[in-house]
Amino acid sequence: MTTSELTLPQVRKEGRRSRRVMGAGKQLHAGPVTYLVLAVFALVSLAPLVWTAIAASRTDRRLAETPPPLWFGGNLFKNMQTAWDEAGLGTAMLNSVIVAGAITISTVLFSTLAGFAFAKLRFRFSGFLLLLTIGTMMIPPQLAVVPLYLWMADLGWSNQLQTVILPTLVTAFGTFFMRQYLVQALPTELIEAARVDGASSIRVVWHVVFPAARPAMAVLGLLTFVFAWNDFLWPIIALNQQNPTVQVALNSLGTGYVPDQAVIMAGALLGTLPLLIAFLLFGKQIVGGIMQGAIKG
């Protein structure tokens, strides 16, 4: 239908629709209230980290005084060196990088494959298996500590890094997370088109599934790395002070009749720095992946 064939109400309706489409492409600008709210949230979020750095730069005696210090002192690097030497953080950092890296890579890979299978493949008992996978999330992890430790002891893996890595090679949360994302982000027609072109299952996963799942994989990888780096319960049971992760090593700083709070804070700051560095290096790519997934969704 041409413009000359439209009635006057229809012309007005088409004009309003065109203006809405043109207005949708305009960039929105935040007001001062938005910046104020964001600044408050940023300050509240950074307060614990800033206080840790302030406490790490003071002496234990100064931290016990009232009022507590509100600005940095001059003992930061001294306390960090003390914490590094007393806790053996060199070996602990390397072990944590190995453990967190292996867990992250395996969890993202296996969770993506399992999520794709539950989202787009049709096989027997898929619904039951998905419910069973989700149901495992309701079991407290503390209940598995004793049988898991006995199993690792039977394998002869006590005080070894694979004891921490093996139980978390894949997670139910990761599988459910990737399944929910791929249901919406990966069109079934795209998989069928790849099949028609003669692509094998491996090529479909590599060239179709992984590119579509990249934003969710980045988010899951970040969450998994942070969780694996900060995990304390299972590593403190499975490892000892001769072969620790960062959290197990930091636990040794709290021993003694009167623990040095400044040194403990310095150790905690050292244990947090790798996470901050990783986010500074890869945060832009992760946020970009999240936004890309949001636009596609």
Side-chain angles (χ1 to χ4, degrees):
M1 182 181 294
T2 60
T3 306
S4 57
E5 297 175 347
L6 294 175
T7 62
L8 183 58
Q10 291 175 328
V11 171
R12 292 175 178 175
K13 184 177 180 180
E14 290 295 328
R16 288 194 297 269
R17 182 184 302 174
S18 300
R19 286 193 295 270
R20 285 198 301 268
V21 172
M22 294 178 61
K26 293 181 180 180
Q27 184 176 3
L28 299 178
H29 297 279
V33 177
T34 303
Y35 285 109
L36 178 61
V37 172
L38 292 177
V40 170
F41 273 97
L43 291 175
V44 172
S45 301
L46 289 175
L49 181 62
V50 173
W51 166 247
T52 301
I54 292 175
S57 65
R58 295 287 183 166
T59 63
D60 191 50
R61 177 179 297 179
R62 178 64 183 90
L63 293 179
E65 296 177 358
T66 303
L70 299 177
W71 192 245
F72 299 93
N75 296 324
L76 177 61
F77 294 105
K78 178 183 176 181
N79 291 335
M80 288 177 119
Q81 185 64 46
T82 302
W84 184 277
D85 295 336
E86 290 185 1
L89 287 179
T91 303
M93 288 281 188
L94 179 60
N95 288 343
S96 286
V97 169
I98 295 174
V99 169
I103 291 175
T104 300
I105 293 173
S106 63
T107 298
V108 171
L109 176 62
F110 293 139
S111 296
T112 302
L113 294 176
F116 165 65
F118 282 124
K120 296 300 177 180
L121 301 183
R122 297 293 174 262
F123 54 92
R124 276 189 171 187
F125 309 114
S126 60
F128 172 75
L129 293 175
L130 179 60
L131 290 176
L132 186 63
T133 301
I134 298 173
T136 59
M137 299 170 59
M138 304 177 186
I139 302 175
Q142 292 82 1
L143 295 180
V145 167
V146 174
L148 188 59
Y149 182 82
L150 294 176
W151 180 30
M152 294 300 161
D154 291 339
L155 293 175
W157 287 356
S158 298
N159 302 323
Q160 298 183 29
L161 296 183
Q162 57 263 36
T163 308
V164 182
I165 297 173
L166 182 62
T168 49
L169 287 178
V170 64
T171 62
F173 168 77
T175 300
F176 179 72
F177 177 80
M178 295 304 303
R179 186 261 178 192
Q180 293 301 106
Y181 180 84
L182 289 174
V183 164
Q184 299 294 333
L186 182 60
T188 306
E189 294 79 7
L190 195 61
I191 301 174
E192 294 175 350
R195 294 289 191 186
V196 171
D197 291 340
S200 62
S201 298
I202 296 178
R203 292 193 63 184
V204 169
V205 170
W206 185 260
H207 294 286
V208 178
V209 178
F210 283 169
R214 190 177 302 163
M217 292 170 69
V219 176
L220 180 61
L222 176 63
L223 296 176
T224 304
F225 186 84
V226 172
F227 175 80
W229 185 274
N230 292 329
D231 190 20
F232 177 74
L233 175 62
W234 177 238
I236 194 63
I237 297 173
L239 304 177
N240 56 23
Q241 292 296 333
Q242 282 68 45
N243 193 33
T245 58
V246 168
Q247 309 307 324
V248 177
L250 292 178
N251 183 59
S252 63
L253 294 177
T255 59
Y257 185 72
V258 182
D260 193 328
Q261 298 297 327
V263 174
I264 294 175
M265 289 297 183
L269 186 62
L270 284 171
T272 307
L273 284 179
L275 295 179
L276 297 177
I277 294 173
F279 186 79
L280 289 176
L281 292 177
F282 304 107
K284 185 176 181 180
Q285 289 80 0
I286 293 172
V287 174
I290 296 173
M291 297 303 298
Q292 180 182 0
I295 294 174
K296 287 183 178 180

